[in-house]
Amino acid sequence: MKRYLKICMAAMIISGLLLSGCGKKEKQDPDSTSQSGVMKVGMVSDLGGVMDQSFNESAWEGLLRAQNELGIKIGYLESNNNSDYGPNLESLTDAGNSLIWSIGFMMGDAALEAAKANPEQKYGIVDMAYGNNTPPNLISVLFKSEQASFLVGYIAGRMTKTNKVGFIGGIKGFIIDSFDYGFHAGVNYANADVKILRQYVESFSDAAKGKSIANQMYQQGADIVFHASGPVGDGVIEAAKEKSKWAIGVDKDQNSLAPDNVLTSAIKRVDNAIFNIVSDLQKGKFAGGATVVYGLKEGGVDIAPSSDKHVPKEILSEVAELKTKIIRKEIVIPYNAKTYEKFYIAKQ
Amino acid sequence: MSIKAKLTNWSNSAKRYLDNTFVFTLIAIFIGLITGAIILAFAGFNPFESYWAMAVGIFSKPKYIIYTIIKATPIIITGYSVAFAFRTGLFNIGAEGQFIVGGIVAALAGYFLHLPPVIHAMVAFALAVGAAAAWGAAAGYLKARFGVHEVISTIMLNWIALYLSNYLVMSPAVKRAESEATHKILATARIDLFGVWKVSEQGMAWRMENRFFHDLLKPDINIGIIVAILLGVMIFLILKKTTLGYELRAVGFNKDAAENGGINVNRSFMSSMAIAGGLAGAAGALQVLGVSLECVNLSNMEGYGFDGIAVALIGGNTPAGCFLSGLLFGALKYGGGKLQSMMGAPREIISIVIGTILFFTAMPKLIRYFTSRINQKREEK
């Protein structure tokens, strides 16, 4: 009996000593990191987590690139539920980061509150805009997702054999609207006879529901389904795989999820945007209070590089032509119901 | 005194020392932390630095302690819920579902009712507790009337609660536009302190001048922890000082003997589950009224109720024990995030660390079993 006790006591004393010794050493550390000149940048992911195969992962890739090329220190915190956003942002603020990213519009309120509460701390947010209310220490990044959606819509419109395609959105809102109407415009531009089925999952996490909606669309005769729904899309792509139909991915090149069934992806280069802003910050530039918009022109959106696997060359060259037209503003892509109507009338 | 006698004496006092549950639990937590350290070292992180980062992240500033308490409050109360049921011989796995029911009812009452401040919060809280108590009592009724084991029925009721809540959250009247959540509850129903004022313009201006309070005001300070303490006292009194508590505990010790002694066992199942359900519902209500201010569409269970099982286990099924173990658990969860931000350890490692600590915390009985076996053998010799 006493042997157990002795071992326990000894272990306690030893580790106590070690811990206290460790404490002394560490105490000088917090200041030395900020003095050493190495910039630290952190990000808080939304509920999807850092490895979500979507824009959180893309954001993290941007930071990884910054770590490799710019020699900065990076870190992340994942959120398990909505009430984690505030504490996570606060933790990173205290960790001495030069810039803290919030990923996704779900974090809009938390990021705004944090930026107001810590005027000395620089923040960035992806997919959210506050217009004139943006605090001077917050930079918001928007993507012209409608441009990439238009291009994949064009591909879908040209390639459909059943003259029926589908659109699955996450939660209706200004972000997903831009995907929705961009895609509609693209399909319509390619072939006005194609019918588009449209449904919202009302979730960004319920992959099972995404799958069942996709299955329904395929049963109704659609042969290509585009999803703009984050992790819900895993279910959509799974349905395409099982039914051997086409799915179009979003945010990242999702071809790797189902190499034979993901036709193309409307990619949002969150990584580029994050890398550029971090790189600017390292040079001392920070456009706080502004909303930066990334479109085709800025390399912020595009179709996935893997598109050449399944999309015929002639369609791809048409897409390339469209791209230059969009960049030259010869075609202005609609991003909501109102602009779509205008686009539609102009086309007639 | 001979040396041998001295040693036996020492050994006896050591045995008594080890028989103390509290000491046992402390040792178990310590072993758990060491195991966690080994795994951290295997994963390539300096365990001492990691634990230090956690400790600094939990204790070094008053606001961190507040964050920890906020994190701990709901699991302390779901811990009570599980512990209460345990004491009366029932295994309440349904705390998760009861928590969800309490949360959604509080969110609905907080938005749709229009009442003066304080009263609104109290009404929302009472409705939530009532609904969750009914949810818990349903499992008790199924056991009393049809003999359905409460483990089975509460697990099933968890899923019913989850999807019922999701259905309500996503219904057009309840859902807030451009979100997966309900409308935020009205200011009159909120139980957080200074919540509205601290983000207002005057509040902000004042905070900029009083940096210490500025920092303190960052967490969503709310009265949840006070309610948790009151509930703990209440459970203690119910169990120890009332006839109802006596009956419930009697059923917990031995159902047949209790029945023989004239206690209505079926009724006691229902009242026990109702109280346990009400407690878990209180946790959900406090979380909504004080922290999240809304209910979200859940793709999976959030785990507050399941954490409560662990909290009750560590806390030895007593209110005071649950309170302490809930704080420990809250600290580990909050400190775990610090591990991620300061050390770059992925979330999975933190889960392993927490899991190991739990595993070893559940060990005292096993350790005690082994020590008693060893003692037995010695005596045989």
Side-chain angles (χ1 to χ4, degrees), chain A residues 1-6 8-9 11-13 15-16 18-20 22-27 40 47-50 74-84 86-88 90-95 105-106 109 113 116-120 171-175 177 201-206 209, chain B residues 7 10-11 14-15 17-18 26-27 30-31 34 46-49 51-52 61 63-64 67 71 170 175-181 184 198-199 204 207-208 211 214-215 218 220 287 291-292 294 296-299 302 304 334 336-338 340-342 344-348 370-371 374-375 378:
Chain A
M1 194 64 262
K2 63 202 172 199
R3 218 173 65 219
Y4 288 91
L5 196 72
K6 265 187 191 166
C8 282
M9 294 284 255
M12 267 186 199
I13 291 164
S15 65
L18 284 170
L19 275 173
S20 59
C22 190
K24 269 172 213 147
K25 193 185 74 199
E26 284 288 313
K27 257 178 196 158
K40 260 172 85 178
L47 303 182
V50 172
I74 58 172
Y76 68 85
L77 267 180
E78 293 180 317
S79 309
N80 290 327
N81 54 47
N82 284 16
S83 46
D84 276 351
N88 279 351
E90 189 59 27
S91 292
L92 288 183
T93 305
D94 285 342
F105 77 92
M106 307 257 271
D109 291 345
E113 199 178 306
K116 279 187 178 160
N118 305 289
E120 313 79 11
I171 297 176
K172 193 154 174 58
F174 76 101
I175 293 282
D177 271 355
V201 190
E202 294 302 343
S203 160
F204 279 115
S205 45
D206 195 346
K209 202 169 163 196
Chain B
L7 275 178
W10 200 74
S11 156
K15 203 164 108 191
Y17 190 63
L18 272 175
L26 283 187
I27 293 173
F30 182 72
I31 300 173
I34 288 189
N46 182 333
F48 298 112
E49 265 180 43
Y51 281 153
W52 182 250
K61 285 187 186 171
K63 73 171 170 193
Y64 294 159
Y67 274 124
K71 211 124 204 157
M170 300 312 280
K175 184 175 167 299
R176 195 169 75 235
E178 303 210 355
S179 76
E180 281 185 84
K184 296 257 180 200
K198 74 178 181 185
V199 290
M204 242 11 203
R207 283 169 71 182
M208 287 304 138
R211 303 305 292 209
H214 169 57
D215 230 25
K218 281 176 181 170
D220 303 312
Q287 187 70 4
V291 182
S292 63
E294 64 187 12
V296 294
N297 182 26
L298 299 168
S299 57
E302 288 180 296
Y304 290 107
Y334 180 65
K338 301 286 177 167
Q340 205 171 36
S341 67
M342 306 297 282
R347 180 162 63 177
E348 285 72 16
F370 278 123
T371 51
I374 290 164
N375 282 343
R378 265 192 205 154

Side-chain angles (χ1 to χ4, degrees), chain A residues 184-235:
Chain A
H184 272 69
V187 173
N188 201 275
Y189 191 87
N191 183 353
D193 297 332
V194 176
K195 206 175 161 242
I196 305 167
L197 308 168
R198 172 204 282 164
Q199 196 166 346
Y200 280 86
V201 190
E202 294 302 343
S203 160
F204 279 115
S205 45
D206 195 346
K209 202 169 163 196
K211 187 176 172 182
S212 77
I213 292 175
N215 271 330
Q216 275 170 28
M217 286 184 171
Y218 291 132
Q219 267 158 19
Q220 286 169 45
D223 56 350
I224 304 174
V225 170
F226 173 47
H227 84 88
S229 55
V232 171
D234 293 357

Side-chain angles (χ1 to χ4, degrees), chain B residues 83-242:
Chain B
F84 188 88
F86 255 135
R87 290 290 282 276
T88 62
L90 296 168
F91 194 17
N92 181 20
I93 301 194
E96 188 72 42
Q98 294 142 11
F99 181 96
I100 294 172
V101 169
I104 184 72
V105 171
L108 295 178
Y111 178 72
F112 286 108
L113 297 180
H114 293 273
L115 292 167
V118 183
I119 295 174
H120 191 179
M122 282 160 74
V123 168
F125 183 76
L127 286 174
V129 170
W135 203 259
Y141 177 76
L142 288 174
K143 186 180 175 84
R145 182 78 175 74
F146 303 108
V148 180
H149 199 281
E150 76 277 6
V151 169
I152 307 293
S153 60
T154 52
I155 288 176
M156 291 164 96
L157 281 165
N158 281 347
W159 290 102
I160 298 171
L162 178 79
Y163 287 112
L164 184 66
S165 166
N166 281 353
Y167 172 76
L168 288 170
V169 169
M170 300 312 280
S171 61
V174 177
K175 184 175 167 299
R176 195 169 75 235
E178 303 210 355
S179 76
E180 281 185 84
T182 60
H183 288 282
K184 296 257 180 200
I185 60 166
L186 303 178
T188 45
R190 286 166 67 159
I191 57 160
D192 53 348
L193 303 176
F194 321 113
V196 181
W197 171 79
K198 74 178 181 185
V199 290
S200 69
E201 254 168 55
Q202 305 115 289
M204 242 11 203
W206 186 86
R207 283 169 71 182
M208 287 304 138
E209 280 163 24
N210 301 274
R211 303 305 292 209
F212 176 73
F213 290 103
H214 169 57
D215 230 25
L216 270 190
L217 282 170
K218 281 176 181 170
D220 303 312
I221 304 172
N222 65 75
I223 60 165
I225 192 70
I226 299 168
V227 179
I229 293 169
L230 292 176
L231 287 173
V233 173
M234 194 191 82
I235 298 164
F236 177 81
L237 293 178
I238 289 180
L239 278 175
K240 295 281 170 163
K241 305 283 175 194
T242 64

Side-chain angles (χ1 to χ4, degrees), chain B residues 272-336:
Chain B
S272 169
M273 280 308 288
I275 292 173
L279 283 167
L286 292 175
Q287 187 70 4
V288 166
L289 299 177
V291 182
S292 63
L293 311 180
E294 64 187 12
C295 262
V296 294
N297 182 26
L298 299 168
S299 57
N300 217 327
M301 312 241 178
E302 288 180 296
Y304 290 107
F306 300 130
D307 288 349
I309 298 174
V311 165
L313 193 70
I314 302 171
N317 294 327
T318 63
C322 285
F323 190 80
L324 292 176
S325 69
L327 283 177
L328 171 78
F329 215 91
L332 286 174
K333 288 194 120 190
Y334 180 65

Side-chain angles (χ1 to χ4, degrees), chain A residues 88-215:
Chain A
N88 279 351
L89 284 168
E90 189 59 27
S91 292
L92 288 183
T93 305
D94 285 342
N97 286 290
S98 308
L99 175 65
I100 297 164
W101 284 101
S102 302
I103 312 298
F105 77 92
M106 307 257 271
M107 293 187 63
D109 291 345
L112 187 66
E113 199 178 306
K116 279 187 178 160
N118 305 289
E120 313 79 11
Q121 172 71 51
K122 295 189 179 71
Y123 292 94
I125 183 161
V126 173
D127 269 359
M128 184 74 202
Y130 308 97
N132 293 331
N133 298 323
T134 317
N137 57 329
L138 176 65
I139 187 167
S140 70
V141 180
L142 283 185
F143 291 87
K144 288 192 171 164
S145 318
E146 68 272 16
Q147 297 181 337
S149 307
F150 178 86
L151 298 176
V152 298
Y154 182 83
I155 293 174
R158 289 280 276 116
M159 287 187 66
T160 175
K161 292 195 176 98
T162 55
N163 271 4
K164 233 182 217 177
V165 297
F167 172 81
I168 297 178
I171 297 176
K172 193 154 174 58
F174 76 101
I175 293 282
I176 302 302
D177 271 355
S178 65
F179 286 98
D180 188 343
Y181 290 103
F183 181 74
H184 272 69
V187 173
N188 201 275
Y189 191 87
N191 183 353
D193 297 332
V194 176
K195 206 175 161 242
I196 305 167
L197 308 168
R198 172 204 282 164
Q199 196 166 346
Y200 280 86
V201 190
E202 294 302 343
S203 160
F204 279 115
S205 45
D206 195 346
K209 202 169 163 196
K211 187 176 172 182
S212 77
I213 292 175
N215 271 330

Side-chain angles (χ1 to χ4, degrees), chain A residues 232-307:
Chain A
V232 171
D234 293 357
V236 176
I237 291 169
E238 219 176 284
K241 211 167 154 182
E242 284 173 13
K243 289 231 152 53
S244 343
K245 305 269 181 180
W246 292 117
I248 298 177
V250 83
D251 293 344
K252 264 173 67 87
D253 189 342
Q254 295 191 312
N255 186 264
S256 58
L257 296 180
D260 296 328
N261 299 90
V262 175
L263 183 60
T264 174
S265 303
I267 56 173
K268 244 165 54 173
R269 300 301 302 264
V270 181
D271 52 341
N272 281 354
I274 287 203
F275 178 84
N276 290 346
I277 288 166
V278 170
S279 154
D280 279 353
L281 182 65
Q282 208 183 25
K283 293 174 199 141
K285 280 188 285 181
F286 181 72
T291 304
V292 188
V293 180
Y294 272 78
L296 265 177
K297 200 173 140 196
E298 295 83 6
V301 299
D302 206 343
I303 59 165
S306 68
S307 305

